[in-house]
Amino acid sequence: MILTLLFGCSTLSTLDGATTLDPGEIQVAAAASVQAGTNSISSATLIPVPQGDLSFRVGLRPNTDLGVRLYVGGVQSDLRYRFLQTDVWDFAVAPGIGGLALPIGGVVDVRAPLRAERGFGEAHRFSTGITPMGRTTFAALGNGSTGHTELYLGGFARAQWAVGPVFLGTAFDLMWQPSRGLPPAMSLGVDVALRKGPFTRRRSN
């Protein structure tokens, strides 16, 4: 129980906006961030802890893609659907589930972000949105188990630059925990991605 509650730490960083991959297109990304308020030690001391992510996405059909992320100790998956595309903005939802397992327990996250994204010129894009999330921490004790659930609500801001098939990004995430009255959780990170596949010219605004 102590190990799970103190060191259980999933990832908060946002690596994608609202613009989905084309069918058959793939993207591989790596990210590094510092995150605070993601476990009991960080919440108590307000000291950020490092986090690393490896991400893989594939376009399934128009306006829909699937992503899988590996981070230190855990895994996360989401299905992104772009439900609206205007002359300026793209809007998408990306519900997902993830978690990590420890010897005596684990952490499970369920989140359903709403994202908006727009372009500035040929190479620059900006995205933002809101992210409700539920996180359940559980531990096995003898013949029983115990745990608790935290509800988060927050948002993010993300900027991305394209250099050919390479995409450089930075994102800031801030998540409040109104159900427990704890300090906000945050993440500040950078990432680099490589895309390959049946490219089509993307709209720039």
Side-chain angles (χ1 to χ4, degrees), residues 9 11 22 29 34 40 44 50 53 97 102 116 138 146 152-153 161 164-168 174 202:
C9 176
T11 185
D22 297 323
V34 290
S40 296
D53 296 77
I97 187 170
L102 294 170
F138 61 93
T146 185
Y152 293 75
L153 180 63
W161 300 265
V166 177
F167 296 80
L168 307 175
L174 186 65
R202 293 176 177 272

Side-chain angles (χ1 to χ4, degrees), residues 50-137:
Q51 180 62 278
D53 296 77
L54 292 176
S55 171
F56 174 82
R57 299 200 72 87
V58 59
L60 301 180
R61 55 183 299 177
N63 302 312
T64 306
D65 61 17
L66 175 68
V68 177
R69 294 172 62 176
L70 301 176
Y71 56 90
V72 178
V75 63
Q76 177 182 311
S77 180
D78 70 89
L79 184 68
R80 181 171 56 174
Y81 173 65
R82 180 172 59 187
F83 61 88
L84 180 62
Q85 187 175 17
T86 72
D87 291 338
V88 178
W89 291 91
D90 290 351
F91 296 90
V93 292
I97 187 170
L100 59 90
L102 294 170
I104 59 171
V107 179
V108 176
D109 289 345
V110 177
R111 62 191 79 190
L114 173 64
R115 301 172 181 170
E117 180 179 342
R118 66 164 297 170
F120 295 91
E122 289 291 329
H124 307 286
R125 300 196 70 83
F126 171 78
S127 55
T128 187
I130 58 174
T131 306
M133 181 178 77
R135 170 181 291 168
T136 299
T137 302

Side-chain angles (χ1 to χ4, degrees), residues 5 14 30 46 62 99 125 149 160 178 194:
L5 293 180
T14 298
L46 301 180
R125 300 196 70 83
T149 298
Q160 181 175 279
L194 176 66

Side-chain angles (χ1 to χ4, degrees), residues 34-45:
V34 290
Q35 304 188 15
T38 53
N39 60 30
S40 296
I41 288 181
S42 180
S43 296
T45 63

